[in-house]
Amino acid sequence: MGWYRNILTILKSEPEEWLCYLYGQKLEDLPHLMKLKSKYTGFLAQVAKYVAYILKNAKINEKKITNSDFLFYFGTENQRSALESTIESLRNKNFQLVMIAPGDLSCNEVNPTFRMTFNPSDILRALILLVRRSRGLFNILKYKDKTAAAYFFSKFLCSHIYLCFFYRVLIQSNPEFVVIANDHSCANRCLLAVARHLEIKTVYLQHASVSEIFPALCMDYAFLDGVHALEIYQKCKKNAFDGEKRSPPTQIFLTGQKKKLPKREDKKGNIIGVATNTTDDAEKIIFLIKYLLSNGLEVRFRWHPLQPIEDIRKYKNELKENNLLIFSDPHSEPLADFISKVAQIICGDSSIHLEAALSGVIPIYYKATEGDIRDYYGFVSKGLCREAKNPQNLLSFIRGNIGNREINMHAIQYYSSTFGTKWQGQEGLLAALLLEALINNDAINRMKIFPYVLK
């Protein structure tokens, strides 16, 4: 039962309500999460949902994970795209790599991954934790937030199976470094917690824009995109729990935005990209697109990968593909391909604005959400994009931008420090060189890139 004592030690340092950070600590700050609330409410229904999730991802005979220098985990396609160029660079240097991803991600033959599937040992251990901890955990959550307990209890229970899975995987692979691209999802936080317990070095490669509701950095190393992320994480120190406050400070490197993006090119047409996120009001988005189409504009419409099914159905029912409108399904068309096919992008609070600007595509901020914070990532205030207050205002921006591809270099550099430098387009290689120096104990300052430490 050594595994049990180890996992209890981890949970004592970082309990389930912190491992499931967004639902356990920030649910009130994220009202859009209520769109994802389960129709199965209460203790027994949520336990059944959790057990069903485990069984759905169970696998009896699985390939054993081998020893590695670096173990990478990515939970979404966006996270994978941020890690992929670094993975390729390390592979070219003959490092031993292990990549792990949920089973619902599409297969990548260039960099094959191990699926996050649960073997009988994982399941048995998780069920033991379920029996011994579930009722007490439910009562704690119910006292703190009845909504979290009633609708999202299964998400907290998932921390048990993730801890069991990653405990087995890290023992098997024995990596020098664990590398992630997300610091607030339950799976990523469980991986970090196990790695810290096993004294494995941890690395965070930022994959998207960050905000002040994010958890405090608690990794050994963080490769952030730019000064903006550094300033935000300085403010996130207030979100640390007791165990994180006692951990050594994170060394931070500014390595630019690491996703592979299309090269800037002159667009022959003026196709307008419209992208949504999960917080957007579907009716407002539909009205906007119909307004653009009625003014003769070509639109390529992309919804968020985690968009609620009911929103997608509504979009497809009320908007019909035609010569002027094309749907961009995020599960079949990579973001880079979407960006490469448009001249301007309209979006609310999303890191797509930055990725568009980096690719020479004009970003326009248009908010289609009531009540949430305006200019969440500061893209408008920092000059990265212009804000349209209404559809008429937006139309004048679009027509005024035709033939104009000017971008604000200083604004982009604030968010992606490598823009306009020799490392632009080589950010994955830069991260790989830093990781190589760290694993070989070489002096980082030979690269003339010096780490920051949050004060």
Side-chain angles (χ1 to χ4, degrees):
M1 294 289 285
W3 69 269
Y4 185 69
R5 289 191 298 272
N6 281 300
I7 289 182
L8 283 187
T9 300
I10 293 169
L11 287 170
K12 184 177 180 181
S13 298
E14 189 168 358
E16 293 92 338
E17 58 265 34
W18 278 96
L19 290 171
C20 193
Y21 176 81
L22 294 182
Y23 294 92
Q25 305 301 320
K26 298 295 178 180
L27 190 57
E28 291 184 358
D29 297 324
L30 298 167
H32 69 276
L33 290 180
M34 292 306 293
K35 286 186 177 183
L36 306 176
K37 67 181 182 182
S38 174
K39 61 182 179 181
Y40 305 104
T41 62
F43 179 79
L44 291 178
Q46 285 287 298
V47 168
K49 183 179 180 183
Y50 166 61
V51 173
Y53 167 74
I54 293 178
L55 296 177
K56 178 183 176 182
N57 292 281
K59 189 173 183 180
I60 296 176
N61 298 314
E62 60 178 9
K63 186 177 179 182
K64 185 176 180 180
I65 295 177
T66 57
N67 282 4
S68 62
D69 298 309
F70 298 95
L71 183 143
F72 287 81
Y73 172 76
F74 36 82
T76 65
E77 290 288 356
N78 276 341
Q79 292 171 33
R80 171 159 54 194
S81 67
L83 294 173
E84 209 153 35
S85 57
T86 300
I87 289 171
E88 290 177 5
S89 296
L90 288 172
R91 190 183 294 282
N92 291 337
K93 293 175 177 292
N94 296 318
F95 284 106
Q96 297 300 310
L97 310 181
V98 166
M99 281 77 68
I100 299 175
D104 57 355
L105 284 190
S106 60
C107 184
N108 186 317
E109 295 181 0
V110 176
N111 293 310
T113 61
F114 291 91
R115 295 307 186 194
M116 189 167 68
T117 54
F118 312 129
N119 69 15
S121 173
D122 300 330
I123 296 171
L124 177 60
R125 292 172 175 181
L127 292 178
I128 291 173
L129 290 169
L130 174 66
V131 170
R132 296 196 175 185
R133 292 184 65 87
S134 59
R135 179 53 72 177
L137 174 61
F138 186 79
N139 290 335
I140 290 172
L141 292 174
K142 189 167 63 172
Y143 175 77
K144 181 180 178 180
D145 188 338
K146 291 182 179 180
T147 299
Y151 295 105
F152 301 110
F153 185 52
S154 63
K155 294 185 180 296
F156 294 89
L157 292 175
C158 281
S159 62
H160 295 164
I161 190 65
Y162 294 150
L163 289 172
C164 294
F165 171 78
F166 286 124
Y167 182 80
R168 170 175 62 84
V169 165
L170 292 184
I171 293 292
Q172 286 181 356
S173 59
N174 191 30
E176 294 282 338
F177 289 85
V178 162
V179 187
I180 60 168
N182 175 292
D183 65 343
H184 53 273
S185 79
C186 185
N188 279 285
R189 290 183 67 78
C190 288
L191 174 55
L192 285 174
V194 175
R196 280 198 298 269
H197 179 73
L198 296 176
E199 298 183 346
I200 297 170
K201 296 291 186 183
T202 54
V203 182
Y204 166 55
L205 269 67
Q206 180 187 346
H207 88 283
S209 298
V210 299
S211 80
E212 293 180 34
I213 68 164
F214 279 21
L217 288 177
C218 60
M219 308 83 180
D220 294 291
Y221 306 98
F223 294 2
L224 302 183
D225 291 357
V227 173
H228 172 261
L230 182 68
E231 293 175 351
I232 292 296
Y233 274 113
Q234 179 68 52
K235 297 176 181 178
C236 289
K237 289 186 69 176
K238 65 181 183 299
N239 298 330
F241 65 96
D242 289 342
E244 288 175 328
K245 291 175 183 176
R246 293 191 295 268
S247 62
T250 302
Q251 291 191 50
I252 300 170
F253 298 93
L254 302 186
T255 53
Q257 200 275 151
K258 288 162 279 293
K259 291 182 184 177
K260 288 184 177 179
L261 295 172
K263 294 181 180 179
R264 180 177 181 176
E265 59 184 43
D266 292 330
K267 303 291 187 297
K268 294 182 179 179
N270 193 45
I271 299 174
I272 308 303
V274 176
T276 70
N277 57 40
T278 56
T279 68
D280 285 332
D281 185 317
E283 294 296 339
K284 288 187 176 182
I285 294 295
I286 291 167
F287 177 84
L288 171 66
I289 292 174
K290 287 182 176 180
Y291 178 79
L292 297 176
L293 295 174
S294 69
N295 280 276
L297 295 173
E298 294 182 71
V299 175
R300 195 170 192 90
F301 173 47
R302 180 185 182 86
W303 53 84
H304 192 277
L306 299 179
Q307 198 80 37
I309 295 297
E310 57 268 26
D311 285 352
I312 298 174
R313 289 198 188 106
K314 188 178 293 185
Y315 291 141
K316 289 185 175 180
N317 287 337
E318 299 198 32
L319 298 169
K320 304 297 183 183
E321 280 196 283
N322 54 52
N323 291 336
L324 292 179
L325 175 64
I326 297 294
F327 291 141
S328 171
D329 187 335
H331 297 292
S332 58
E333 182 177 55
L335 179 59
D337 290 351
F338 169 72
I339 291 175
S340 71
K341 294 172 183 175
V342 300
Q344 303 179 55
I345 283 183
I346 300 164
C347 192
D349 293 300
S350 170
S351 58
I352 286 179
H353 287 301
L354 175 59
E355 293 164 42
L358 287 166
S359 302
V361 174
I362 294 177
I364 302 174
Y365 180 86
Y366 179 81
K367 192 166 182 62
T369 308
E370 293 290 346
D372 282 359
I373 301 171
R374 174 192 160 276
D375 194 20
Y376 189 66
Y377 297 116
F379 291 145
V380 175
S381 64
K382 298 299 181 182
L384 185 80
C385 55
R386 298 175 68 186
E387 179 181 13
K389 303 283 189 178
N390 52 57
Q392 296 76 19
N393 190 205
L394 180 58
L395 184 62
S396 68
F397 281 2
I398 292 170
R399 289 176 170 166
N401 285 334
I402 293 176
N404 176 20
R405 298 289 179 264
E406 291 299 321
I407 56 173
N408 187 330
M409 174 175 279
H410 294 297
I412 296 177
Q413 284 181 334
Y414 175 66
Y415 289 94
S416 182
S417 61
T418 53
F419 186 75
T421 74
K422 67 177 183 179
W423 291 110
Q424 183 179 346
Q426 300 291 320
E427 290 84 0
L429 173 60
L430 173 58
L433 290 173
L434 288 168
L435 288 172
E436 181 182 21
L438 291 171
I439 202 170
N440 292 329
N441 293 316
D442 288 344
I444 292 291
N445 57 16
R446 292 177 186 172
M447 298 179 64
K448 297 183 178 179
I449 296 179
F450 301 96
Y452 298 82
V453 176
L454 297 181
K455 298 179 181 179

